[in-house]
Amino acid sequence: MEGIPSYQDKTFGTMVRAALWLVTEVGEGSVFTKTQLREAFPEVAQIDRRLRDLRDHGWRIDTSRDDPSLLQQEQRFVTRGADVWIPGRSKAPKHKSSLTAAQRAKVLHDDNHLCQSCGVGAGEAYEDSGGVELAKLNVSRRKVLHSGEGENAVAEYQLITECKRCGTGGGADREVDLDALLELVEALAPLEQRLFAKWIAADQRTFSPIEKIWGIYRALPQESRAAVGKAIDDMTS
């Protein structure tokens, strides 16, 4: 490709060479295998890791966890990010810098060692896995917008505990508008605000009996849901 250096130029670092290989040999939207990647860089022991580092620069590379249509050995080069081979563009954004062990331990402690998205604890089995899949917790960065609208909004990255499952498929790219959330809370009826405050104090949402029943009902097959509906009609008629 015109203007794009060769990925075989070893004056570049391994991450930069991996980016050049994706652009010149694979192409956006195309699938490649781990074997092809390792064959292109036979002298690099951790080429998989260097490839993952590109995600810190806006490159999107999906695995079978992100895209179920891919086989385990396949990855898809979805979109190109920063041109890291250009001097000054290979430096990761400040919010992507590595966490220290102390920072990670504090976040896990503050979040009670629970995934803040689904509530699972480290080493616990997911209910839908039949006890086979155990949760692994990571510390993720979440983009939080506040104090302003549109281009005037101030963004900062805050740390949050998430299990590997919840963080898969772009979890790290999620953002929340804090001011918008507070506006929604302010719009709640006083009774709903007090209920929400109780959930915050307990750090969990408590479900009423009818909500628990609804959850069980929604998990039923259609035939059984119809039977429940008929029974309710009979009870209320």
Side-chain angles (χ1 to χ4, degrees):
M1 297 179 68
E2 187 176 354
I4 304 293
S6 169
Y7 78 90
Q8 296 177 330
D9 185 345
K10 295 186 180 180
T11 61
F12 292 113
T14 305
M15 182 192 73
V16 172
R17 291 178 60 208
L20 291 169
W21 179 75
L22 288 175
V23 172
T24 60
E25 301 296 320
V26 179
E28 288 186 67
S30 297
V31 173
F32 62 95
T33 66
K34 293 179 181 179
T35 299
Q36 290 173 321
L37 176 64
R38 290 166 185 162
E39 287 177 348
F41 300 91
E43 76 286 2
V44 181
Q46 296 183 323
I47 186 60
D48 292 359
R49 181 177 295 181
R50 300 288 79 80
L51 191 74
R52 289 196 298 271
D53 288 343
L54 286 169
R55 292 170 177 165
D56 291 344
H57 301 273
W59 292 63
R60 181 177 168 188
I61 304 161
D62 284 356
T63 67
S64 57
R65 293 191 299 272
D66 308 306
D67 183 348
S69 70
L70 295 172
L71 300 177
Q72 188 174 2
Q73 291 294 318
E74 294 179 331
Q75 297 184 62
R76 189 188 307 279
F77 172 28
V78 181
T79 51
R80 169 175 158 181
D83 293 343
V84 292
W85 51 88
I86 297 177
R89 297 193 184 180
S90 62
K91 185 177 180 180
K94 185 177 179 181
H95 72 272
K96 294 288 188 178
S97 58
S98 299
L99 295 178
T100 65
Q103 286 176 310
R104 187 175 186 278
K106 183 180 185 303
V107 175
L108 290 169
H109 176 269
D110 290 346
D111 289 340
N112 297 314
H113 292 266
L114 298 173
C115 173
Q116 298 303 292
S117 295
C118 71
V120 72
E124 292 182 355
Y126 292 103
E127 291 184 2
D128 61 0
S129 73
V132 175
E133 184 182 0
L134 302 182
K136 296 180 180 179
L137 297 183
N138 297 316
V139 174
S140 303
R141 293 173 172 86
R142 186 64 47 82
K143 186 177 181 180
V144 179
L145 305 176
H146 58 86
S147 303
E149 297 181 359
E151 296 181 355
N152 296 321
V154 176
E156 65 173 321
Y157 287 84
Q158 299 177 0
L159 302 176
I160 186 171
T161 302
E162 239 179 2
C163 70
K164 187 175 180 180
R165 179 189 281 192
C166 289
T168 297
D173 298 327
R174 297 173 192 158
E175 65 179 38
V176 60
D177 188 325
L178 188 57
D179 290 343
L181 173 62
L182 292 175
E183 287 179 5
L184 292 173
V185 173
E186 189 175 357
L188 293 173
L191 179 61
E192 293 173 317
Q193 289 177 343
R194 289 193 292 272
L195 178 60
F196 186 51
K198 288 182 179 179
W199 291 349
I200 292 175
D203 197 26
Q204 65 177 359
R205 176 188 172 188
T206 54
F207 292 93
S208 67
I210 192 171
E211 287 177 310
K212 293 178 181 178
I213 293 172
W214 174 255
I216 297 171
Y217 165 78
R218 288 300 304 167
L220 294 174
Q222 174 58 36
E223 186 177 353
S224 295
R225 292 202 303 270
V228 173
K230 183 177 185 305
I232 288 294
D233 286 342
D234 292 340
M235 293 178 195
T236 58
S237 60

